Amino acid sequence: PRQVVGLRRQHAQAHLRLPEAGLLRHDLAHGALGLGLVAGVELRAPQQEQRERGRRAQVAALGLPYLASPVESLQALEQNYRRYQHDVNAAGHAAVGTVPVMRTVFVTDSEALAQSARSALARSGSRVQPPVPVDDWAIVGDRHYVRDRLLEYIERLGLSHLIVRAGVPGVGEQQQLQSHAALRDIVSTL
């Protein structure tokens, strides 16, 4: 089942709900990056680009935050958020400062496990045409790599909310929970 827990920058407490783990609670410093988890997210294919443009324009016309496809490259996200902010401006709204990004994130110190997770993700994303390399839509690696990538998203997009796709194929429950705990720790330092 799909569960979405959204966190906002202005909230002092973050709640992460995982079906296997119950409720985890983490206090975020004011202005810290928001963190959320999504389980069971389906990947949208790039051929739906026309519908995506329509959704982006509709959201912009309402002055609401835009959440792009979880399999777009960072470069595509930059273009889409730039277009979105243009559409927001054209609709007469002030710039929207909330920039949510959905990504698969898996934190591990084991290079073998990271490679296994990347391979499993590549197979799970194989229905997306044309194929998008895993490293363009997922962040998989050790704490330093994940932190550096998140900082890149903050710098290039103004990332304010990270929505994490839970349930990496082939990764055990305990490893997934450890990854989320590590990610929570990483986010608290940004």
Side-chain angles (χ1 to χ4, degrees), residues 131-172:
V132 179
V134 171
D135 288 334
D136 283 354
W137 59 269
I139 302 171
V140 178
D142 66 21
R143 291 170 188 261
H144 300 288
Y145 176 78
V146 170
R147 185 175 191 280
D148 289 348
R149 288 292 286 170
L150 291 177
L151 287 171
E152 183 179 8
Y153 277 76
I154 291 168
E155 181 181 314
R156 290 175 63 179
L157 300 175
L159 173 69
S160 63
H161 292 69
L162 175 64
I163 304 168
V164 178
R165 180 178 175 261
V168 176
V171 172

Side-chain angles (χ1 to χ4, degrees), residues 43-47 69-76 103 118 121-138 153:
L43 306 178
R44 273 201 317 257
Q47 64 260 32
S69 165
V71 294
E72 291 177 330
S73 68
L74 184 54
Q75 182 178 357
R103 282 292 178 254
R118 281 187 206 98
L121 288 167
R123 287 188 303 274
S124 74
S126 65
R127 65 180 179 254
V128 176
Q129 295 300 322
V132 179
V134 171
D135 288 334
D136 283 354
W137 59 269
Y153 277 76

